[in-house]
Amino acid sequence: MAYDRYTRGTPTFDDLDDRDAPYGDPTASSDNDGVPDVVKTFVAFLYRHIRENNVYEIHQMYESSFHKLSQRLFSESPWPTAEAIAPVVDHDHVFCLLYRELYFRHVFARLQPTLEQRCESWENYCSLFQVVLLGNLNVQLPNAWLWDMVDEFIYQFQSFCQFRARVKSRTEEETAALKQCGNVWNVYGVLNYLHALVAKSNILAILDDDSDGGAAAVFLATEGYDMSGNGSNVERVLGYLSLVGLLRMHCLLGDYHTGLVKLSPIDIGRPGVFQRITGCHITVMYYYGFASLMLRRYVDAIRAFNQVLLTLSKAKQYHETLPQYDQILKKTEQMYALLAICLALCPNGKLLEESVNGQLREKFSDKIQRMQRGDESVFDELFSFACPKFVTPAPPVEDGGELVNYNQDAYRLQLKLFLADVRSQLALPGLRSALSLYSAISLPRLSTFLDVSESTLRTALITLRHKNTVVEADGSVLPNAELDFYIDDDLVQVVDSKTTRRFGDYFIKHILKFDELAGQLENVQLVV
């Protein structure tokens, strides 16, 4: 990683051993202020590394030490408040904002946040982003931490929308308190902050300069870090990651086209900074693939899911060591489910790698066959399992009637739209299979073959034609399946758009495996 160039010249928090640490009982506090000494030591080291821009050590403490202490001391309780640890860090304003961000993230991950904590977390994010937008930060933070900020910011918005929509289970006091929080986690506020971070960072101009040695190449090579050690990566990287955040936000709101437009400055088909952060990489490909699925861009969705699932399978041993492994595993299963839906609606298995195809068939072979036979219940089941948790951004309207939870309304609407599109395609697999047998066939003969009237056949052909094409942002219409056709009077002309199958990669892979096996056999000593 780019930040590995920073040296580790000073002692670190992880260098401390339990035997050498100035504490015995990990919960003990020498100052009787309620803050364990081990937490004070952790905060002091983290504060010093941030002041020294020691990104390597910040990353180690953030990814490892923080999670270990959370598991060891605060598995069922919050961390000490920022006010309690402020004396340890000279009441540094920026550090306290960063600490509060970790504090509230821990609350949301392990505890049940109260309405007051939800409001305080929103205010902290507002203050933190205002420092980035209006201040002149001179700190460098690990890109993984910056991504988690954006990710958690949107997650807490999503959680607040779900919390606000559970009208039936709230007391009158909670309802009255919620009315006082009208601007808290407002959808316009969340979107405005993400757009402001993008604009402030000038990331669009950086990514647009894709010439050799241009700004985009430098950004990729350095991963956004200031290699001089005197600048900051926070503004640039937060702007870059906010593009991913905008994709996620618009998908949660059901505006898939806008989501893909916001992500378009990032070319997901080329190496990018987002691929260096596991959580960000998964988020990009999951929401890009899901948005493409909902827009009937099945080929794009298949390619996206294939790419990320192949990467995840290769790095599985590394991911098993991460605290977020359970989340990675769940998202992996969801993407396999979405991939199964794509292949049921657009059979195009040649786009899949062998390992991904094997895993998919092992998990969902039966369900794919049932979907291709028109079993709508399987589409419903897989969509419900794999879709995002959609939100209704508007607060409830109280009309004096019976209180009803509406936190599932957005999900039901998206499911209804998806199943309506599926129903329009249930008769198409048989038509698609019939067309694949011919290069040209008359309408009367095809209608006899399918045992339908010519008028019904014409309607089905127009539907298939519509479902097999996608409209790009520039208005161009492109085929979205292996099979394309057109109707000339009463003759259906079939254009097979299948690419020539290439066997070179297959043989090269097995030749390399053979060479590796031969080398191993040469080193085997036979015992006579």
Side-chain angles (χ1 to χ4, degrees), residues 168-222:
K168 199 171 182 180
S169 58
R170 285 205 303 265
T171 64
E172 293 183 2
E173 292 77 11
E174 290 174 332
T175 302
L178 195 58
K179 289 181 180 179
Q180 305 300 318
C181 307
N183 294 324
V184 173
W185 294 112
N186 180 279
V187 62
Y188 296 111
V190 175
L191 289 172
N192 285 340
Y193 272 117
L194 294 175
H195 281 289
L197 290 170
V198 172
K200 176 69 173 178
S201 66
N202 199 33
I203 192 64
L204 298 181
I206 292 174
L207 296 176
D208 191 52
D209 182 10
D210 57 355
S211 58
D212 291 340
V218 174
F219 181 78
L220 174 60
T222 62

Side-chain angles (χ1 to χ4, degrees), residues 3-15 49 52 54-57 60:
Y3 57 75
D4 285 343
R5 304 181 191 182
Y6 293 94
T7 59
R8 301 179 56 188
T10 57
T12 68
F13 177 79
D14 288 336
D15 290 334
H49 292 319
E52 295 174 351
N54 192 337
V55 182
Y56 178 88
E57 292 301 340
Q60 291 298 107

Side-chain angles (χ1 to χ4, degrees), residues 56-74:
Y56 178 88
E57 292 301 340
I58 299 171
H59 184 267
Q60 291 298 107
M61 296 189 70
Y62 173 75
E63 289 286 354
S64 177
S65 304
F66 178 74
H67 291 286
K68 288 179 180 178
L69 285 177
S70 296
Q71 183 65 35
R72 182 183 179 189
L73 302 179
F74 307 110

Side-chain angles (χ1 to χ4, degrees), residues 334-441:
Q334 288 179 319
M335 287 189 287
Y336 270 115
L338 293 175
L339 182 57
I341 293 175
C342 291
L343 289 176
L345 295 173
C346 177
N348 208 333
K350 67 182 180 62
L351 297 175
L352 299 181
E353 294 288 337
E354 289 182 23
S355 59
V356 175
N357 191 36
Q359 284 289 319
L360 179 66
R361 298 298 170 182
E362 181 180 331
K363 296 174 183 290
F364 296 107
S365 176
D366 178 61
K367 293 187 186 303
I368 292 176
Q369 293 177 10
R370 289 171 59 189
M371 285 189 289
Q372 289 177 339
R373 291 195 298 265
D375 190 338
E376 186 178 312
S377 64
V378 182
F379 284 103
D380 188 331
E381 175 190 345
L382 293 185
F383 182 89
S384 300
F385 166 72
C387 71
K389 292 183 178 179
F390 301 104
V391 299
T392 302
V397 178
E398 297 185 11
D399 55 3
E402 183 182 357
L403 296 179
V404 179
N405 292 339
Y406 71 101
N407 54 307
Q408 293 293 317
D409 285 4
Y411 154 73
R412 293 191 187 99
L413 175 60
Q414 297 301 318
L415 176 61
K416 178 181 178 181
L417 294 173
F418 171 73
L419 292 180
D421 192 47
V422 168
R423 290 187 197 103
S424 68
Q425 302 187 53
L426 290 181
L428 300 183
L431 178 58
R432 187 185 293 115
S433 300
L435 289 176
S436 65
L437 301 175
Y438 302 92
S439 59
I441 184 173

Side-chain angles (χ1 to χ4, degrees), residues 280-331:
C280 184
H281 188 194
I282 293 174
T283 299
V284 168
M285 307 309 280
Y286 170 79
Y287 283 99
Y288 176 88
F290 185 81
S292 299
L293 167 63
M294 296 299 285
L295 294 174
R296 293 185 293 101
R297 298 170 58 167
Y298 303 121
V299 172
D300 291 340
I302 292 171
R303 286 179 176 143
F305 292 137
N306 176 72
Q307 177 187 333
V308 67
L309 291 172
L310 181 63
T311 302
L312 291 175
S313 65
K314 291 180 178 179
K316 184 177 180 180
Q317 290 183 337
Y318 164 70
H319 294 151
E320 289 175 347
T321 64
L322 298 177
Q324 306 87 0
Y325 178 65
D326 289 340
Q327 299 173 7
I328 295 174
L329 204 59
K330 180 180 179 181
K331 270 288 178 282

Side-chain angles (χ1 to χ4, degrees), residues 122 153-154 157 185-198 242 245-251 253 255 258 262 393:
W122 164 254
F153 181 58
I154 298 173
F157 160 76
W185 294 112
N186 180 279
V187 62
Y188 296 111
V190 175
L191 289 172
N192 285 340
Y193 272 117
L194 294 175
H195 281 289
L197 290 170
V198 172
S242 292
L246 286 169
L247 166 67
R248 179 179 173 186
M249 276 292 296
H250 287 291
C251 285
L253 298 172
D255 188 358
T258 301
K262 295 302 179 183

